[in-house]
Every structure is written in structure tokens, then in C-alpha cells.
Amino acid sequence: MINFSYTRAHDVADAVRQIAADPAAKFIAGGTNLIDLMKENVARPLHLIDIAHLPLDKIEETSDGGLRIGALVPNSDLAYHPEIEARYPLLGSAILAGASQQLRNMASTGGNLLQRTRCFYFYDTATPCNKRVPGSGCSAIDGINRMHAILGTSEHCIATHPSDMCVALAALEARVLVTGTGGARSIAFADFHRLPGDTPEIDSTVRPDEIITAIELPPKGFAGNYTYLKIRDRLSYAFALVSVAVGLEIDGGMIKEARLALGGVAHKPWRDRDVEAQLTGAPPTSETFQRAAETMLHDARGFGHNDFKIELARRSIVRGLTQAARGTPQSQIDKRIK
Ligand SMILES: Cc1cc2nc3c(=O)[nH]c(=O)nc-3n(C[C@H](O)[C@H](O)[C@H](O)COP(=O)(O)OP(=O)(O)OC[C@H]3O[C@@H](n4cnc5c(N)ncnc54)[C@H](O)[C@@H]3O)c2cc1C
Ligand code: SF4
């Protein structure tokens, strides 16, 4: 591990000042991803700016009836917060499907958004990886790519975004609040993470001098008909092969509004407005859900080892939509197990 200096930020303005002054610096919050990357020599920041003590740990009501979640709220506090359990159970169950209780106690909301891919080659400094060393090549395209993406890939990178929480936030249409030298701005969740294109080293639209201060949830939480379905190699402590976040509003036997996002299949949580429009106004039947899955995966492409993900995603979408429509979310099963 390289030598690095360490400072604490006193407030948000100080954090922005410090990060803007040093291009080799990185923020550290819970440290559950960054420290691993430093130990593997994948991240080599010369200066760590500790933001863990900033007063960004509140969950508050917004003026429009939504919730503002501070960037330093631990994942476990967020999942078990009464407002999240009652109004946004989709978010709570997605968080509880990730990592372990110990990790969730340390992991922050902001850090979860910026955690990096779990592509094995990204972690293995002996192999080429465009995300780690731009221009060096992608070892996964012709390599072991069982965990990799089937949608939105490029010839430069086929990595997936590993977060569970972010899949639910995409479905809920959250916004991410950031502050930098240019002031504060709010980013729609759909615009927060990037597809790899020809710059896979850039994961998100957060600028180098910006700090995430909060996430805002709109009032609608789809608490009646939702599910977070995570398919993985073992039932706990594993990243998603495919995950599905669903929120439905059902009225008079018809779908009035639909949200559907996939995890484990792309470089960002994958949402398709055309599929949601197709679901809207349709009856919540098996035929409707099969059709939605077909449309969602129309452009899916496997790379050999991960070909199975296309069929897995198709079945997971149908099962996720069915569970949500019946009001029998997977999360109830998950909570019993944990
Ligand atoms: C063994 C293991 C299993 C895991 N399994 C899962 C899983 O199944 N599902 C899942 O979703 N996650 C999983 N995780 C990931 C875990 O959820 C993340 O590591 C965690 O959320 C990161 O939060 P952190 O506060 O520790 O971030 P840190 O490690 O402190 O930071 C991560 C990155 O975010 C940046 N950062 C942090 N906060 C801010 C901020 N406020 N503004 C700007 N930049 C910031 C840091 O500079 C760094 O680049 C797992 C992790 C481990 C180690
Ligand atoms: S998929 Fe992306 S992260 Fe993995 S080796 Fe290729 S470039 Fe690197």
C-alpha cells in the first residue's frame, strides 16, 4: 500500500476546498470500498480527506413530502428507518440484500453510489483493464465474464455497477445533491451513473471537485406493490447476477404506473421508459409481464460465460413484476433469513 496523507474536513465548504486543491486526493467515508482498492493497489490516492464526521447524517422530510437522506447516513440506519420501512420498503429491501450487516453499518449512502465495479480484472493489476488503466485493453471481453454486463456495453468495457441500493433509487427516481466549487446542483438518478462508452474509467457524472451531500426521494414510494428480487450465487454476502426493482401502482385491476430497474446487467442501473410505458394501462398478467421482459432485453448481448444472464434476466423480470403485482415482495423472505 502506498504512503498517503490524511486530513479531516470540518464542513462541506472545507471538504470542497480540500478536494479542489489536490487532484491526487480522495474523500473517505465508511472506507469499505476505497480501503480495499488501496490495499489491492488499484486506487492510489496520495491524500485522504475524511468526511465521516460531517453533519450529513440526517433523514428529513422535504417540503414536497419526500425524504432527504444525508450522504453519511449508514446503509443499515437507512434500511431500518421507520419512514423507509413504511413508505419506501423497496429501498430498504434493496439495501438489506447487499453486503453484510457489519459492512452496512460502516457503508455510507454517498459511498454506496460511488463504489466501483467488482470485475475481477479491475482488481487484478497484472491484467489489462481500461477502467483501471485507460487504453490498456479489456481482459473481460474474451476472458471470464460470467458476472459481466449484457446491456449498454462498449468495446472498451463490459463491467457492471455492483450496487443494490442504486437499483431501487433508479426505480424511485431519486435525485443526488452535490456541492463543488461551482456551487450546489441536483442530478436526476438516471443521469448520475454513466455507460462505459470510450471512457470506462469515469463511472459517474460527479465532478472531481464535488462532494455528494444528500439523496432526495420523491413522495411516491410504491409501498403497496413493490419488490426487490436479487439473484446471486448464494443467498447472502454476494453481488447480484441479476436484480430487479419494481414499483407498481395498480388501480381497478390495471397498472396505473410502473417502475422497473435492473441491476447486475449494465454499467449503471438499467431502466427503460418504453417498457414502463408499455406496462402502463395494461392488466397485471403473465402475458403483460412476458412482453415487458422481451422489450427490456431486446438489445441484450452476452459475451460467452454470461450468456445465461439473458434468460435469467427475462425470468427475473417476470417474477419480480408478478411478486410486486401480488403484493408479496421478496423482501419479506429476505428479512426472515437475515
Ligand atoms: C465484501 C463486500 C461485499 C459487498 N456486497 C455488496 C452488495 O452485495 N451490494 C451492494 O450494493 N454493495 C455491496 N458492497 C459494497 C458496499 O456497499 C460499499 O463498499 C459501500 O456502500 C461504500 O460506502 P463507503 O461509505 O464505505 O464508501 P468509501 O469506501 O468510503 O468510498 C467509496 C468511494 O466513494 C467516494 N465517496 C464516499 N462518500 C462520498 C461523498 N459523500 N461524496 C463524494 N465521494 C464520496 C470515495 O472517495 C470513494 O471513491 C460490498 C462491500 C464489500 C467489502
Ligand atoms: S470489463 Fe471494464 S473493468 Fe473489467 S477488465 Fe474490462 S475494462 Fe476493466
Side-chain angles (χ1 to χ4, degrees), residues 13-46:
D14 182 39
V16 170
R17 213 168 20 246
Q18 288 197 43
I19 200 99
D22 187 352
K26 274 214 162 281
F27 291 132
I28 183 163
T32 60
N33 189 219
L34 183 56
I35 296 294
D36 278 358
L37 291 167
M38 290 172 69
K39 285 194 287 197
E40 298 290 340
N41 221 8
V42 175
R44 296 170 60 84
L46 298 178

Side-chain angles (χ1 to χ4, degrees), residues 41-44 116 121-139 156 198-202:
N41 221 8
V42 175
R44 296 170 60 84
R116 306 214 68 192
Y121 300 107
F122 178 67
Y123 274 80
D124 180 357
T125 54
T127 59
C129 169
N130 286 325
K131 190 181 274 297
R132 180 170 27 77
V133 182
S136 62
C138 172
S139 300
H156 303 288
D198 55 9
T199 51
E201 70 276 16
I202 306 170

